[in-house]
Amino acid sequence: MTTSDLPSLPMSTYTVVPCWNDRGLMQCIYLNAQGYSVPPDSLNCQDQGFTVDFLCIQGVRPAPPAASLHGLKAIEGAVLLAAVAKTLQSTTLLPNTFMADAEQRIVFPVMPQTRRGVILVFSVTSPDGTVDLVATHDPEIKNTTFG
């Protein structure tokens, strides 16, 4: 799937904002298309009436206003690189590894009535120029009748 294919696909799109929490660990905030915060276990295919099987997570540039960060500090220069997804509680033939496109977008297939656990991988450049890969354990994406 190329970047030019994305606008024509009906899908739910969420923006991920990687942040440092007070323990120095990465914690992500997810924003829906209207810019409202969504819990990491509530990302779903609601925009398609739970019938189309795609969900997009995109990196954010620039960081959103501090008020939407819930007291966390956005990680400057974090780049969404890749993801691994595993379908939970069922077996599907869906792909498990994904690379972000040049615009930091990853499109995930999600079969109806299923949930997928996702690990997002970010590239983070520290002030001294060191580049690290940092993974996060959320979100959970869904395509269910009840959201």
Side-chain angles (χ1 to χ4, degrees):
M1 181 174 300
T2 66
T3 303
S4 61
D5 295 330
L6 293 179
S8 64
L9 292 173
M11 70 182 77
S12 295
T13 300
Y14 295 90
T15 299
V16 59
V17 183
C19 298
W20 295 125
N21 65 22
D22 58 356
R23 295 178 291 163
L25 301 174
M26 180 183 277
Q27 181 176 336
C28 292
I29 294 173
Y30 300 91
L31 306 173
N32 65 16
Q34 294 75 36
Y36 295 111
S37 182
V38 177
D41 64 348
S42 296
L43 308 185
N44 59 48
C45 295
Q46 65 185 345
D47 288 349
Q48 316 89 294
F50 308 106
T51 59
V52 178
D53 306 325
F54 296 100
L55 186 140
C56 177
I57 294 179
Q58 63 187 8
V60 65
R61 288 181 291 201
S68 65
L69 298 180
H70 308 288
L72 301 173
K73 182 179 189 289
I75 301 173
E76 296 295 328
V79 176
L80 179 61
L81 290 181
V84 178
K86 172 77 170 117
T87 304
L88 307 172
Q89 299 177 329
S90 65
T91 302
T92 64
L93 299 176
L94 297 175
N96 296 324
T97 57
F98 304 89
M99 295 300 296
D101 67 12
E103 296 179 32
Q104 295 187 58
R105 298 181 298 190
I106 300 176
V107 175
F108 298 92
V110 186
M111 298 291 290
Q113 302 298 319
T114 62
R115 299 177 300 125
R116 301 192 85 190
V118 176
I119 298 171
L120 300 175
V121 180
F122 294 87
S123 170
V124 178
T125 304
S126 64
D128 68 0
T130 304
V131 178
D132 293 312
L133 295 180
V134 181
T136 184
H137 66 279
D138 50 27
E140 181 178 293
I141 57 177
K142 302 174 187 174
N143 191 357
T144 63
T145 302
F146 304 108

